């Protein structure tokens, strides 16, 4: 009996010895990383940049920042920029907790969020396109009609000049910055006590990314949805809002009102790498890349 | 989890063979002992990884989720029909209904098709045909779930929309895709257990004048019963836990379905959709949703253990 007990103890100890380095290994890595970044912050400006920058947040901003990061990494070979998704709200939380160096958001911040004292950098402007299936004859809706469709007051396309078919409303998940901005701009939010809740009909179809919204609309004759204007392709049809075509020009001259900012958020002192990346994005060269699919932030600044 | 335990059993078998063969070599006793100890230690460490993971996950989910259940109230949480985190209403009943309906539907369809395929492979198909069907089934098991979801989104959903209306994203789409996804599990385990039925049973039945099909239904299937039941329970486990594919095809609307063409949101989809941004009570409520799923899956595994511990033919 005693022998068996000793044997078991031996095995348990072996197990611990073998797993312990694995566990502590992860911790060490992180410590090293942190130490490295703080060292660099202290280093002089003319030192060559090297290290990594973590960017997290909005899935609408993600493709743009990824494109910018690819170009930036070519210029600064030793800087690695890691671009992650998660949603606008997740991006804010990631910056506050320090998980990410830069958070991305595709909407205005709420007053509560502004209270965290994060630094905001406007990098681009993106329209929100209201889209329908290419076979849908409707091509122009008033803002109020869109609001009533999303609230469920208008249920059939014939009420807005289309064929007699039921309207299928496609909505984004609650963490989406696109949804937040859309509901805000169209007027789909209401106060209930001290909370703000969405007025969108509760039986709407929920798609969890811009790409899924587009696929859903492209395969459904009677569907209506909204998505990032910069990502729309020819499988869906964009609607005019109050007679105005969604385009960079119309957002620039403020006739198309469905747009939101793409913001970068940072907290406190930045590492030189992160600062250099933000400077690059705001530079003329960076904004040229932005203008390929989105609208340069300079277009909406007075 | 259980596929792993089956694999572990096989591994144990092989290990027994290896150590058995090393016994035949006349090595000095000491070296042999060291080898034995080292091997045992490695097995033990491997086993503890699984156990530690399960323990860590359970503790984490329960400590995060259980308080929320009491804060919201067990009745309001399990039987509440409104899920609106922005208004602090957390009722998961529509999602429980969706998960249960989706799983039951998929299991019924998957079991019928899967079991017949298994019988075909084990009893009827000529060897060359079985050698085509079997790899196809194995391939089905290797397809990532997001691909199933995308297939459902661009193929199944438009089909349902065209023939039944309602948009296509529906409980029905979930049932069809989940049924296909659990086929490999049901087919491979059922086939193995059908093949494990001793040949003498079949010979006896045929000698008494029963036809081939009579033999299959009256003799072989009852004898392979426990393995077949195990395959079904494993299939249920896979169906209830599936997330990625379901998010793409269910429509994710929180409502109690009245028809097969209604949009639904399952428990797993709810967690995956909302966890990235949830905070406070909302996040705890999602963990609590995880607790409910956990209890479902634990119950399934208990049932499974009953079947696995029964021997074929008992």
């Amino acid at each position: 009996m005693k022998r068996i007990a000793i044997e078991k103890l031996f095995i348990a100890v072996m197990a611990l010895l073998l797993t312990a380095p694995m566990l502590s290994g992860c911790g060490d890595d992180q410590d090293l990383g942190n130490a490295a970044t703080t060292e660099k912050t202290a280093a002089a400006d003319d030192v060559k940049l090297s290290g990594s920058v973590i960017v997290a947040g909005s899935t609408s901003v993600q493709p743009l920042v990824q494109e910018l990061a690819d170009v930036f990494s070519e210029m600064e070979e030793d800087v690695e920029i890691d671009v992650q998704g998660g949603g606008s709200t997740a991006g804010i939380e990631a910056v506050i907790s320090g998980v990410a160096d830069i958070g991305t958001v595709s909407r205005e911040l709420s007053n509560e969020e502004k209270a965290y004292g994060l630094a905001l950098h406007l990098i681009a402007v993106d329209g929100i396109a209201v889209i329908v299936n290419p076979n849908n004859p409707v091509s122009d809706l008033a803002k109020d009609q869109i609001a009533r469709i999303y609230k469920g007051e208008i249920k059939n396309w014939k009420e807005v000049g289309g064929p007699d078919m039921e309207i299928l409303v496609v909505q984004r998940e609650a963490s989406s910055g696109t949804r937040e901005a859309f509901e805000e701009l169209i007027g789909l939010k209401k106060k209930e006590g001290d909370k703000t809740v969405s007025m969108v009909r509760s039986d709407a179809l929920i798609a969890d990314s811009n790409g899924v919204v587009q696929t859903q609309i492209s395969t459904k004759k009677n569907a209506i949805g909204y998505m990032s204007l910069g990502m729309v392709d020819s499988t869906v049809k964009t609607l005019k809002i109050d007679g105005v075509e969604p385009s960079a020009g119309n957002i620039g001259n403020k006739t198309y009102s469905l747009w939101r900012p793409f913001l970068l958020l940072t907290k406190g002192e930045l590492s030189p790498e992160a600062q250099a990346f933000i400077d690059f994005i705001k530079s003329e060269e960076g904004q040229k890349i932005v203008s390929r699919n989105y609208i340069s932030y300079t277009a909406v600044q007075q | 989890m259980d596929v792993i335990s089956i694999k572990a059993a096989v591994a144990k078998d092989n290990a027994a063979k290896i150590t058995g063969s090393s016994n035949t070599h006349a090595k000095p006793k000491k070296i042999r002992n060291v080898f034995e100890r080292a091997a045992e230690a490695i097995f033990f460490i491997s086993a503890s990884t699984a156990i530690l993971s399960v323990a860590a996950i359970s503790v984490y989910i329960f400590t995060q989720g259980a308080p929320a259940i009491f804060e919201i109230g067990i009745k309001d949480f399990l039987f509440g029909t409104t899920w609106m985190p922005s208004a602090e209403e957390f009722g998961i009943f529509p999602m429980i209904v969706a998960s249960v309906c989706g799983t039951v539907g998929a299991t019924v369809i998957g079991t019928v098709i899967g079991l017949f395929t298994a019988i075909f492979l084990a009893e009827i198909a000529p060897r060359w045909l079985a050698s085509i069907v079997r790899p196809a089934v194995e391939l089905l098991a290797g397809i990532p779930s997001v691909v199933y979801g995308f297939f459902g989104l661009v193929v199944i959903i438009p089909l349902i929309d065209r023939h039944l209306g309602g948009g296509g994203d529906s409980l029905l789409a979930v049932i069809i895709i989940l049924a296909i996804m659990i086929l490999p599990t049901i087919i491979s385990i059922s086939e193995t257990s059908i093949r494990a039925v001793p040949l003498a049973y079949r010979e006896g039945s045929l000698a008494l004048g029963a036809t081939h099909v009579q033999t299959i239904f009256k003799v072989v299937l009852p004898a392979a019963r426990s393995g077949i039941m195990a395959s079904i329970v494993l299939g249920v486990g896979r169906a209830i836990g599936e997330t990625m594919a379901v998010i793409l095809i269910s429509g994710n609307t929180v409502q109690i379905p009245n028809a097969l063409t209604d949009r639904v949101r399952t428990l797993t989809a709810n967690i995956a959709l909302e966890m990235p941004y949830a905070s406070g009570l909302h996040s705890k409520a999602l963990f609590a949703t995880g607790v409910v799923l956990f209890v479902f899956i634990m119950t399934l595994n208990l049932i499974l253990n009953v079947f696995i511990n029964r021997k074929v033919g008992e």
Side-chain angles (χ1 to χ4, degrees), chain A residues 127-133 136 138-143 145-147 149-150 157 167-170 178 182 185-186 188 213-214 217 223-229 232 236-242 244-247 256-259:
Chain A
I128 298 175
V130 178
I131 54 173
V132 293
N133 190 280
N136 193 327
V138 176
S139 62
D140 188 349
L141 286 178
K143 220 171 174 178
Q145 285 175 318
I146 296 172
I149 287 171
Y150 268 84
W157 282 108
I167 299 177
L168 177 68
V169 171
V170 177
T178 315
F182 177 79
L185 294 166
I186 295 283
L188 288 166
V213 171
Q214 181 155 266
I217 306 283
I224 185 169
Y226 57 86
M227 65 180 288
S228 160
L229 180 59
V232 172
V236 295
K237 182 169 94 177
T238 57
L239 293 182
K240 289 181 198 161
I241 312 286
D242 296 316
V244 183
E245 194 85 46
S247 68
Y256 186 81
S257 58
L258 288 188
W259 58 269

Side-chain angles (χ1 to χ4, degrees), chain B residues 61-306:
Chain B
I61 289 184
F62 275 91
T63 49
Q64 292 281 317
I69 298 182
F70 294 111
E71 199 176 330
I72 300 161
I74 294 184
K75 215 181 116 215
D76 285 343
F77 181 65
L78 290 180
F79 299 107
T81 54
T82 315
W83 175 269
M84 205 192 246
S86 53
E88 304 241 319
E89 287 201 60
F90 302 101
I92 62 167
F93 189 65
M95 295 174 257
I96 294 180
V97 173
S99 276
V100 170
C101 290
T103 306
V104 169
T107 310
V108 170
I109 297 174
T111 303
V112 171
I113 299 176
L115 189 53
F116 286 174
T117 310
I119 294 170
F120 179 74
L121 285 176
E123 298 285 322
I124 297 165
R127 189 165 291 177
W128 66 269
L129 187 54
S131 73
I132 296 172
V133 177
R134 200 171 296 117
V137 170
E138 278 158 12
L139 203 61
L140 209 55
I143 297 174
S145 61
V146 67
V147 175
Y148 279 100
F150 190 69
F151 170 76
L153 183 60
V154 296
V155 178
I156 309 274
I157 286 179
L159 272 179
I160 296 176
D161 187 25
R162 198 171 316 141
H163 296 289
L164 300 171
D169 301 66
S170 57
L171 183 57
L172 182 62
V174 172
I175 289 175
I176 293 172
I177 288 292
L178 288 182
I180 299 173
M181 291 182 79
I182 64 175
L183 277 181
T185 313
I186 294 184
I187 294 172
S188 58
I189 299 176
S190 296
E191 192 200 340
T192 312
S193 64
I194 290 172
R195 283 186 186 281
V197 175
L199 201 57
Y201 285 31
R202 297 182 184 83
E203 286 165 350
S205 167
L206 293 171
L208 286 170
T211 65
H212 193 181
V213 172
Q214 280 173 330
T215 305
I216 289 169
F217 280 102
K218 305 263 160 153
V219 177
V220 178
L221 286 190
R225 177 179 84 232
S226 62
I228 293 169
M229 289 306 289
S231 79
I232 296 171
V233 176
L234 279 177
V236 172
R238 167 130 207 224
I240 206 165
E242 181 47 46
T243 313
M244 202 54 230
V246 170
I247 286 181
L248 289 170
I249 57 177
S250 65
N252 300 311
T253 307
V254 183
Q255 60 181 3
I256 297 174
N258 291 318
L260 279 174
T261 51
D262 278 354
R263 287 186 283 282
V264 292
R265 183 188 292 189
T266 62
L267 292 166
T268 48
N270 190 44
I271 300 177
L273 280 173
E274 304 198 350
M275 199 50 112
Y277 70 98
S279 58
L281 184 59
H282 183 194
S283 146
K284 291 205 183 92
L286 292 177
F287 273 106
T289 314
V291 170
V292 173
L293 265 173
F294 206 87
V295 170
F296 274 166
I297 288 168
M298 291 272 263
T299 318
L300 276 176
N301 276 305
L302 285 178
I303 299 171
L304 178 66
N305 278 333
V306 173

Side-chain angles (χ1 to χ4, degrees), chain A residues 38-67:
Chain A
T38 42
E39 236 168 63
K40 258 168 231 130
T41 322
D45 284 347
D46 52 343
V47 173
K48 197 168 182 320
L49 297 175
S50 70
S52 70
V53 178
I54 298 174
V55 184
S58 165
T59 52
S60 298
V61 185
Q62 198 178 2
L64 173 62
V65 172
Q66 185 62 58
E67 213 179 332

